[in-house]
Amino acid sequence: MLAHSSPHRLDTVRALLRAGANERAWERFRDAGLDEVTDDPDVLTLHGRLLKDLAKIEVDDVDRRAGYLASADTYARAAELDRATYPLINAASLSLIGGDRNRSKTLAALTLDRLDDPRTPPDTDYYVAATRAEALLLLERIGEARTAFTDAIAAAPRAYEDHATTLRQFALILDALDLNTDWLDEVRPPVSLHFAGHMAIDPGGADDAARRIADAVGAQGAGFGYGALAAGADLLIAEALLKGGSELHIVLPGPPDAFRNRSVVTRDPAWGPRFDAVIAAADSVHALPMPPADGAWDAAIQLAGEIAMGMAAANARTIESTARQLLVLRDAEAVDRAPANHSERLAAIWRDGGQAQSVVAISGPAAPATPSELTASPFRLAACLRAELCDDAAITALLDVAEMADVLLTTEPPLVLPRWHGNTIDFSYADPMRAYRVAQRLRGLAPPATAMRISAHYGIVRRAPDPFVGGEMLIGTDGSRAAQMVSAVPTGAFYASDSFAYALLARAAEIRIELMGEFVSDTADPDVPPVSLYALHDGK
């Protein structure tokens, strides 16, 4: 069939795939007649990817292998029309994963020939070397494959996301060949480190603490650091990361000047110039908008810490590396007790997520008692979600499900009672992980799942009596953000703001997030940046 595709149609299908709406992407592709196209390599390449993604979710091993072989066939047809090596090497690898080792070797050998053919379209040095390494691996020429992969990394040493794509593919190939994967660890990108710690360190006598912290930072193998920049431990860790050549990404609970006045120079003015120097040297500074009231600073500090943890976990996941946490506490055993302050709460979240953690114990005076947002302040953090049913049949179907109320009310106690109005349901929980579990269960109750879309946001709210229907309600801009965002979510997808997505990753690194774009409300404050939207997926 002649190709009648357009770049717009293909981009729409790719966007749906990135959002995790695989079934809807396939529907769009098929409804446009693109599944019948046989003479357009771009369409065939996308068709191959669709078939591969559909094969991944097959429960039956036989059906899954058949899906991979169908994908390989489609990629191979694209390779016949286009001399680019991308569809050809995909056809080779998917043939192996689908169980056809002989065809895989044939296509891998053809890939090597095509790489050496001057008629092959040029590509980046990294991709050429990585493709060569993949073809050699499929041919079980392991030593040559390792050398070629090393050459690829040397050609683009900081192209960590490209390295990660190759690492994931190599892990699949080695598993299919029943070969050891340990050597891949030797070429993984460096560690992504979240850091936090107590402020009670005297800058005039910090030399010993700085040496111990620098030793601990060096032992982590960190290439990336994520955290705040309060006086004391934060600043000493950040300085050590910069000295070691790591990227440094600062996450503050408010504008830098306000944070400097509140959490840096109040400890000792001598920390001020060091704060300024680190801010100037950092690779990025992410500052939350000014808290809505002075009493919300405690909640904002906690939110910034959770976002920094999630950013570290997300970066490690993106580059196929490891995330770790480094804490500087007065008592190394504090991580095993009920948390009493922000650093210990962050430690508990990270620990409960099962991720690697190191503690440096530094003696010093106890921090002055401060009211906690968990107890004293009317402000708190909340994970707020909106589910929208996209047709009357979906509304009727969900209303008929007896478990719906149990899912929303019993699975995890909500902050306030869920509310159904029109074709939407609003619900909120204290913990993003609990909110995510409830949302996924709710999606499973709505037949079909593609008839529902969900948005989620995590931010600072204030609980107040509801003067109209009784009980309590959540007020504040963050409380209504999810309701505004749902209009930007494709049917069948689950999108979250960056704060929700990162706070979720801080608790469960196995969740997969993918940036889909930005949301700007019609009534947005021009001083507040757009909300980044992430699609959420279970597992890898």
Side-chain angles (χ1 to χ4, degrees):
M1 176 178 175
L2 290 176
H4 296 290
S5 63
S6 70
H8 173 71
R9 283 181 174 180
L10 299 184
D11 288 344
T12 299
V13 174
R14 292 186 185 105
L16 288 168
L17 282 172
R18 291 198 307 274
N22 291 4
E23 293 179 7
R24 192 160 181 81
W26 177 248
E27 288 176 8
R28 285 287 186 91
F29 189 82
R30 188 180 55 205
D31 289 348
L34 297 176
D35 58 326
E36 300 294 333
V37 171
T38 59
D39 65 345
D40 186 328
D42 290 337
V43 174
L44 288 168
T45 297
L46 182 55
H47 194 177
R49 179 182 171 185
L50 281 163
L51 292 172
K52 178 180 69 175
D53 287 349
L54 291 171
K56 285 180 183 177
I57 61 176
E58 288 286 355
V59 176
D60 183 78
D61 287 343
V62 174
D63 291 340
R64 185 164 55 251
R65 286 195 296 270
Y68 284 133
L69 290 177
S71 175
D73 287 342
T74 307
Y75 273 120
R77 287 199 298 272
E80 292 172 1
L81 299 170
D82 188 344
R83 295 198 59 81
T85 54
Y86 174 79
L88 187 58
I89 194 62
N90 272 280
S93 295
L94 287 162
S95 295
L96 172 67
I97 297 168
D100 191 342
R101 187 172 294 194
N102 289 333
R103 188 189 191 205
S104 171
K105 289 180 179 296
T106 299
L107 293 173
L110 182 58
T111 301
L112 291 177
D113 290 341
R114 190 169 287 188
L115 285 170
D116 294 331
D117 190 330
R119 294 172 297 171
T120 299
D123 214 316
T124 65
D125 291 344
Y126 176 83
Y127 180 75
V128 170
T131 302
R132 186 179 301 280
E134 186 171 342
L136 290 166
L137 191 62
L138 291 167
L139 292 168
E140 299 185 59
R141 293 157 60 178
I142 309 301
E144 293 174 83
R146 293 178 66 168
T147 299
F149 190 21
T150 302
D151 291 343
I153 293 172
R158 298 183 72 87
Y160 295 124
E161 291 191 32
D162 291 338
H163 304 175
T165 299
T166 306
L167 285 164
R168 283 189 286 269
Q169 190 79 335
F170 279 23
L172 290 172
I173 292 169
L174 289 166
D175 183 63
L177 292 172
D178 198 26
L179 295 174
N180 192 292
T181 62
D182 290 350
W183 64 270
L184 295 180
D185 293 335
E186 300 172 11
V187 289
R188 290 191 187 280
V191 166
S192 296
L193 186 72
H194 171 257
F195 61 89
H198 291 325
M199 300 167 66
I201 298 175
D202 179 3
D207 290 348
D208 180 63
R211 281 193 295 271
R212 295 183 59 201
I213 287 171
D215 289 344
V217 168
Q220 306 302 314
F224 310 87
Y226 299 83
L229 205 56
D234 285 354
L235 267 165
L236 293 177
I237 296 171
E239 289 173 342
L241 285 165
L242 288 172
K243 188 174 181 180
S246 298
E247 285 188 17
L248 181 63
H249 302 278
I250 301 300
V251 185
L252 301 179
D257 288 346
F259 181 79
R260 185 184 192 276
N261 291 334
R262 188 179 185 90
S263 298
V264 180
V265 296
T266 51
R267 275 287 172 181
D268 191 308
W271 288 114
R274 296 172 74 166
F275 172 89
D276 298 337
V278 172
I279 286 288
D283 291 87
S284 71
V285 178
H286 177 86
L288 275 60
M290 181 71 79
D294 190 63
W297 264 99
D298 205 53
I301 290 170
Q302 183 69 20
L303 178 61
E306 294 185 30
I307 289 172
M309 287 195 294
M311 291 174 72
N315 189 62
R317 181 67 174 271
T318 297
I319 65 175
E320 283 291 310
S321 186
T322 303
R324 297 184 61 89
Q325 184 181 62
L326 177 63
L327 301 160
V328 176
L329 306 176
R330 283 182 298 277
D331 182 357
E333 296 179 358
V335 294
D336 298 320
R337 298 194 299 261
N341 52 54
H342 286 298
S343 294
E344 292 174 13
R345 285 202 292 272
L346 298 178
I349 289 171
W350 190 270
R351 178 200 63 217
D352 292 346
Q355 301 190 80
Q357 188 176 62
S358 299
V359 178
V360 177
I362 298 290
S363 61
T370 56
S372 167
E373 60 92 9
L374 300 178
T375 57
S377 171
F379 295 95
R380 63 165 303 136
L381 296 178
C384 301
L385 299 90
R386 169 163 284 193
E388 181 175 289
L389 285 303
C390 299
D391 56 48
D392 289 341
I395 294 172
T396 301
L398 192 57
L399 283 172
D400 287 342
V401 176
E403 300 97 325
M404 182 183 67
D406 285 340
V407 167
L408 289 172
L409 296 174
T410 306
T411 305
E412 304 289 350
L415 282 175
V416 296
L417 287 177
R419 295 188 178 174
W420 189 321
H421 44 91
N423 64 333
T424 64
I425 306 170
D426 291 329
F427 49 107
S428 57
Y429 299 86
D431 183 274
M433 190 64 220
R434 295 173 183 171
Y436 177 76
R437 286 197 295 258
V438 171
Q440 292 292 56
R441 287 198 62 190
L442 187 63
R443 292 177 86 197
L445 292 178
T450 53
M452 177 186 290
R453 55 185 177 184
I454 296 181
S455 58
H457 179 63
Y458 186 52
I460 302 170
V461 300
R462 185 157 62 97
R463 293 173 71 165
D466 189 324
F468 303 110
V469 298
E472 288 189 314
M473 62 182 181
L474 303 180
I475 61 175
T477 302
D478 282 343
S480 60
R481 187 78 70 198
Q484 298 168 350
M485 286 164 38
V486 76
S487 62
V489 181
T491 304
F494 185 175
Y495 279 13
S497 66
D498 47 3
S499 58
F500 185 100
Y502 288 137
L504 187 63
L505 282 185
R507 293 162 168 82
E510 72 273 10
I511 302 297
R512 184 164 63 87
I513 69 172
E514 186 162 10
L515 180 63
M516 302 307 299
E518 293 183 333
F519 172 77
V520 181
S521 169
D522 292 339
T523 59
D525 183 336
D527 295 328
V528 176
V531 177
S532 296
L533 295 181
Y534 288 83
L536 305 180
H537 314 286
D538 282 329
K540 293 186 178 181

